[in-house]
Amino acid sequence: MVINKKLKSALVGTLAGATLLFGALSSAAEYNLRAVANSNENDEDYDGLVVFKDFVEAHSNGKIAVELFIGTQLCANGTECMQALEDGSVDVFISTASGVGNMFPYVQVLDLPYLLRDDRVAETVLAGDFTRELRKSILEDSDSRVRLMTIGNTGGWRNFANTKRTIQTPKDIEGLKIRTVVSDLPQELVKSLGASPTPIPWPELFTSFQTGVVEGSKNGITDIMSMKFPEAGLKYITLDGHAYMSAYWFMNNESFLAMPEDMRRVIVDGFSALQQATFASPKRKSIKAYQDFSSAGGEVYVPTPEQKDAFKKAAEPVYSWFKGNVKDGEKWFDLLAQEATKAEQAIEASYASDLN
């Protein structure tokens, strides 16, 4: 391709101008935020951060700049990243309950099985006062250093998947070796269903399926397919939806409060946009993931309402464990159950208008 000298000169000038403009906008920012997600660019967390960055920078007219650090560039794990957030070297961080449960044990309440019925209920609860109550406790327990901004989703729903058989009732899980994280609550759930909880590091799970070290797991479909677990023998998924895969989005409280109210409003709205993006992303990605699972010879089973009730009843010992072993466990269990019931009632009431 030949470009004449005048056109080439014009292109160079345009590119140089764009570079100078971008540099000017970046240097003009009054507030620079460093946002960390220990994941990758295929993850829902990244989708949320891209939406957050675009929203905040645009709606602040360049007064706020957001720099994304995806992976382990600034910190390697939940404990390390939360420490960085507390001391201000990181401004925004996302974690699951297992990543921060050692600091704030009560956040595990969202890992309790079968309390949130479906996406509509979960999204209603997490956009309301339940999240605000968690924010108050986390601020208090972190000496006002860590602020919970919102709770989104990171992978859809946890379902039981295994290499051996179709699971239709709790009895079908009995005796299976189920992979869990090193955390008490998911291990208590597996034990309550008569299976054997087996903590295995995520990178070792593929080989563990192949060798029979474990025979099942509690994962969302996108994680299952991204790791190609069907190739290791994982063939059966039961959509019991025992846990909504919640993602806690934290911000350094001092960084937040250092902004004037109009900029804080932009940040709050930006996290609302992020939350909506993470609610939507797993739904879209799961379509292809389920198609690929079926193409790989996988079987998907959807429990009947009666069967799902049986799973919930079998899991009740986990509720007792949480109430007895987590500080203020009964308070958080009751609050989540109440908010879930309110959401269900509001949704049911809306059908009166929407179905006629």
Side-chain angles (χ1 to χ4, degrees):
M1 180 178 180
V2 178
I3 301 178
N4 66 48
K5 289 183 179 180
K6 288 185 178 180
L7 179 57
K8 183 175 180 181
S9 176
L11 286 171
V12 170
T14 300
L15 290 171
T19 301
L20 288 172
L21 177 61
F22 179 78
L25 288 173
S26 298
S27 61
E30 298 176 27
Y31 307 97
N32 294 280
L33 303 180
R34 291 146 295 188
V36 172
N38 292 151
S39 51
N40 58 60
E41 294 185 0
N42 296 318
D43 198 89
E44 293 83 3
D45 307 336
Y46 178 74
D47 293 345
L49 277 177
V50 169
V51 169
F52 176 77
K53 173 181 170 68
D54 179 76
F55 183 98
V56 166
E57 291 181 346
H59 286 76
S60 68
N61 287 315
K63 291 181 180 179
I64 303 173
V66 181
E67 188 173 4
L68 307 185
F69 296 88
I70 309 301
T72 56
Q73 300 174 65
L74 296 186
C75 49
N77 54 55
T79 301
E80 189 177 311
C81 291
M82 288 300 290
Q83 182 60 54
L85 187 88
E86 286 193 359
D87 66 29
S89 55
V90 164
D91 300 291
V92 175
F93 176 61
I94 178 267
S95 178
T96 59
S98 61
V100 294
N102 59 330
M103 301 175 63
F104 314 113
Y106 43 85
V107 299
Q108 297 177 86
V109 66
L110 286 174
D111 283 345
L112 287 172
Y114 308 114
L115 291 184
L116 298 174
R117 183 181 70 189
D118 53 30
D119 283 304
R120 288 189 70 183
V121 171
E123 292 168 12
T124 300
V125 169
L126 298 183
D129 288 338
F130 177 80
T131 297
R132 296 184 181 95
E133 288 301 314
L134 275 179
R135 178 183 303 139
K136 290 178 187 176
S137 290
I138 289 169
L139 277 169
E140 182 178 347
D141 291 342
S142 67
D143 294 326
S144 295
R145 289 176 292 181
V146 176
R147 186 181 190 89
L148 175 65
M149 300 303 299
T150 193
I151 304 175
N153 186 268
T154 180
W157 291 82
R158 292 194 186 279
N159 297 299
F160 284 109
N162 78 101
T163 62
K164 295 296 184 181
R165 54 183 176 264
T166 302
I167 293 173
Q168 298 185 8
T169 69
K171 278 203 164 294
D172 297 324
I173 300 182
E174 290 181 5
L176 291 177
K177 293 175 286 186
I178 304 293
R179 183 262 178 180
T180 66
V181 296
V182 184
S183 179
D184 289 334
L185 194 151
Q187 293 184 41
E188 290 296 323
L189 170 60
V190 170
K191 284 191 289 186
S192 73
L193 297 174
S196 300
T198 310
I200 295 287
W202 183 249
E204 298 175 16
L205 188 50
F206 186 96
T207 303
S208 298
F209 284 136
Q210 285 182 315
T211 58
V213 172
V214 293
E215 299 158 322
S217 69
K218 296 163 18 65
N219 292 113
I221 187 63
T222 53
D223 287 337
I224 286 171
M225 295 312 298
S226 69
M227 295 295 285
K228 301 181 178 179
F229 287 151
E231 295 179 15
L234 200 73
K235 297 294 184 183
Y236 305 95
I237 294 178
T238 296
L239 303 186
D240 67 304
H242 56 268
Y244 188 77
M245 296 177 70
S246 303
Y248 296 85
W249 290 88
F250 300 103
M251 186 170 177
N252 177 278
N253 193 43
E254 185 177 351
S255 296
F256 179 74
L257 294 179
M259 299 180 186
E261 184 174 329
D262 60 335
M263 292 297 99
R264 296 202 302 273
R265 184 182 294 269
V266 169
I267 292 291
V268 169
D269 288 345
F271 274 109
S272 177
L274 175 153
Q275 182 189 54
Q276 292 302 314
T278 66
F279 284 165
S281 182
K283 297 184 183 75
R284 178 182 62 81
K285 292 178 178 178
S286 68
I287 296 171
K288 185 175 187 305
Y290 278 116
Q291 291 172 343
D292 291 345
F293 182 74
S294 295
S295 297
E299 175 190 296
V300 178
Y301 181 77
V302 180
T304 66
E306 293 77 18
Q307 288 170 337
K308 193 160 182 179
D309 285 343
F311 278 106
K312 184 173 182 178
K313 184 172 180 57
E316 286 179 356
V318 184
Y319 305 155
S320 298
W321 176 89
F322 182 81
K323 293 175 185 178
N325 289 274
V326 174
K327 181 185 176 184
D328 295 327
E330 187 162 1
K331 163 193 167 182
W332 291 109
F333 175 87
D334 290 345
L335 180 60
L336 180 57
Q338 290 164 10
E339 291 299 306
T341 299
K342 283 167 56 178
E344 290 173 12
Q345 291 172 343
I347 292 167
E348 292 301 320
S350 71
Y351 286 136
S353 298
D354 298 338
L355 298 179
N356 297 298

